[in-house]
Amino acid sequence: MPAPERTARVRVDEFTRFLRNETTGGTILLAATAIALLWANSPLSESYFAVRDFQFGPEQLHLRLSIGDWAKDGLLALFFFVAGLELKRELVVGELSRRKQAILPVVAAIGGMVVPALVALTVGWGAPGIERAWAIPVATDIAFALGVLALTGSNLPSSARVFLLSLAVVDDLGAMIVIAVLFTTKFNLLAAGVAVLAFALYAWLQHRRVRTVWLYLPLAIVAWIAVHEAGVHATIAGVILGLLTRAKADPGEEEAPVIRLEHRYQPFSAALAVPLFALFAAGIEINADALGRVVTTALPVAVLAGLIVGKAIGILGVSAAAVRFGIAQRPRGMGWRDLGALSLLGGVGFTVSLLMAELALTGSAADEAKTAVLLASVVAALAAAVLLLRRNRAHGETVSSSAD
């Protein structure tokens, strides 16, 4: 390879690795959210809503959608494809493949979904829309949470990242199940059959070790369109395709498809799909009156309580119970204070919680719920960061003492 081409390839590889960095993904996500809030609350706000609501796409396939809907239904499918790949890798060759190591993040994720939902239902009981809005605080944002951990917990044992990643991936799988069940208003049996055939063909091609993208890309598009037409939220197609991807490398194969595809598409997810979704989902009116309604109206208060209080209690409480009764083991090198900080970090709902709010509610109720999601995510991230910095310092001092 000529020197200039080799240099360009190295630069591309370095940039790709930079985009895969969890801190980078979290930073881009925060920047997109800040731009959305500033744009939607500026004198140019009309242009924001005009862009977000501009429609395009083939009417014949029922795909004439707004730009905001394309970001929500289309781009987020890539995010959930990467999440499905991560889950498949963890289930087959990662921490979740070993029963004792898998039990704690799995039960913690279940606690982190059930308890926030119960807290939200209790606090918001009787409020219009709570029968669907209880699902908003069940999710944890993978990119944002891992980004905060990367920034504040460099001295924590590697088991902390594995625990949080496993918990967040299982959490998002649960959120996908909730979306499929709770937000499916119609069901087209023929389209569902086409989707099943597309998934089966994808799995067969994986089994036959076919690698060409020119087969998989059209197949993925067909699967996405069929799931969308079936009445199920189209992002489900992404997570199913991720879970159907082969996770073990063959002899002579450098890496399994699940790892190769994760490395290939994670930068696009972190730098394009999730930020663009946030750009068109987080553009809500923020002023004194709006914030006042968020902290005094039952439904957004329920979302706040679910994410900030319910997540922490659910994750830490269920983890403690599982260890106490011998069902699971505490991650190696981690104390209960470490787990407490990570449990608070689980309250960063962000991407998937914003999606839930858009699916569950409309109008001003949706805006209030999304404001609550943003506020709760910031509070949870800051509170967790303070605790993680203290734990990071404690672990650093322990390492220094050991070295002496």
Side-chain angles (χ1 to χ4, degrees), residues 194-210:
V194 172
V196 170
L197 286 175
F199 293 136
L201 182 54
Y202 180 93
W204 181 80
L205 290 171
Q206 284 287 301
H207 178 72
R208 301 295 298 178
R209 277 43 180 181
V210 175

Side-chain angles (χ1 to χ4, degrees), residues 12-383:
V12 170
D13 290 344
E14 287 297 325
F15 184 62
T16 301
R17 277 194 289 271
F18 173 72
L19 290 178
R20 279 202 294 263
N21 184 282
E22 288 147 2
T23 307
T24 303
T27 302
I28 296 173
L29 178 58
L30 284 176
T33 303
I35 291 170
L37 290 170
L38 290 171
W39 191 1
N41 289 276
S42 74
L44 300 174
S45 59
E46 287 187 9
S47 66
Y48 171 84
F49 295 108
V51 171
R52 188 196 65 182
D53 297 335
F54 178 77
Q55 294 188 343
F56 68 97
E59 185 71 54
Q60 298 86 343
L61 296 174
H62 303 126
L63 289 176
R64 187 167 183 80
L65 307 174
S66 68
I67 289 178
D69 285 337
W70 275 111
K72 177 178 65 177
D73 294 353
L75 289 177
L76 271 195
L78 176 60
F79 166 76
F80 280 108
F81 176 63
V82 174
L85 292 172
E86 291 177 335
L87 179 59
K88 181 63 176 287
R89 171 172 51 79
E90 290 295 325
L91 286 169
V92 177
V93 296
E95 289 296 315
L96 297 180
S97 65
R98 295 184 286 276
R99 190 180 64 85
K100 286 188 176 181
Q101 282 76 13
I103 289 175
L104 189 62
V106 170
V107 297
I110 294 171
M113 290 185 285
V114 173
V115 175
L118 291 175
V119 168
L121 274 172
T122 302
V123 174
W125 189 258
I130 193 63
E131 67 277 3
R132 289 161 65 87
W134 61 262
I136 296 173
V138 304
T140 296
D141 188 283
I142 298 174
F144 201 156
L146 288 175
V148 173
L149 179 61
L151 282 170
T152 59
S154 58
N155 290 327
L156 267 65
S158 59
S159 57
R161 182 191 179 280
V162 171
F163 174 82
L164 183 61
L165 174 62
S166 303
L167 180 148
V169 169
V170 174
D171 198 304
D172 281 348
L173 178 62
M176 283 291 93
I177 294 172
V178 170
I179 288 173
V181 173
L182 193 63
F183 302 116
T184 298
T185 55
K186 62 183 180 67
F187 191 72
N188 185 322
L189 191 59
L190 179 60
V194 172
V196 170
L197 286 175
F199 293 136
L201 182 54
Y202 180 93
W204 181 80
L205 290 171
Q206 284 287 301
H207 178 72
R208 301 295 298 178
R209 277 43 180 181
V210 175
R211 294 184 58 170
T212 176
V213 70
W214 302 113
L215 278 175
Y216 287 117
L217 185 58
L219 191 58
I221 293 172
V222 168
W224 182 87
I225 293 174
V227 170
H228 183 275
E229 184 64 17
V232 182
H233 197 266
T235 50
I236 298 293
V239 76
I240 292 175
L241 291 172
L243 289 171
L244 290 174
T245 303
R246 184 164 56 87
K248 288 186 177 180
D250 288 336
E253 195 175 24
E254 285 189 17
E255 54 188 8
V258 73
I259 296 174
R260 184 173 66 252
L261 292 174
E262 186 181 339
H263 285 178
R264 179 181 299 170
Y265 292 112
Q266 198 276 337
F268 292 101
S269 172
L272 182 67
V274 175
L276 280 177
F277 166 74
L279 179 65
F280 294 112
I284 48 182
E285 182 184 15
I286 299 291
N287 54 42
D289 289 339
L291 289 175
R293 289 193 298 273
V294 167
V295 296
T296 57
T297 306
L299 193 145
V301 169
V303 173
L304 284 168
L307 282 170
I308 297 172
V309 179
K311 276 287 185 183
I313 293 175
I315 294 171
L316 185 60
V318 171
S319 296
V323 172
R324 172 68 178 80
F325 291 108
I327 299 171
Q329 293 179 343
R330 196 170 60 194
R332 185 176 300 176
M334 287 179 58
W336 286 114
R337 292 180 183 178
D338 301 324
L339 278 170
L342 294 178
S343 299
L344 272 175
L345 197 51
V348 180
F350 216 75
T351 305
V352 185
S353 290
L354 287 175
L355 174 61
M356 292 283 201
E358 291 212 338
L359 294 174
L361 303 165
T362 58
S364 61
D367 286 344
E368 289 171 2
K370 288 195 284 185
T371 303
V373 168
L374 295 175
L375 183 59
S377 296
V378 170
V379 170
L382 290 175

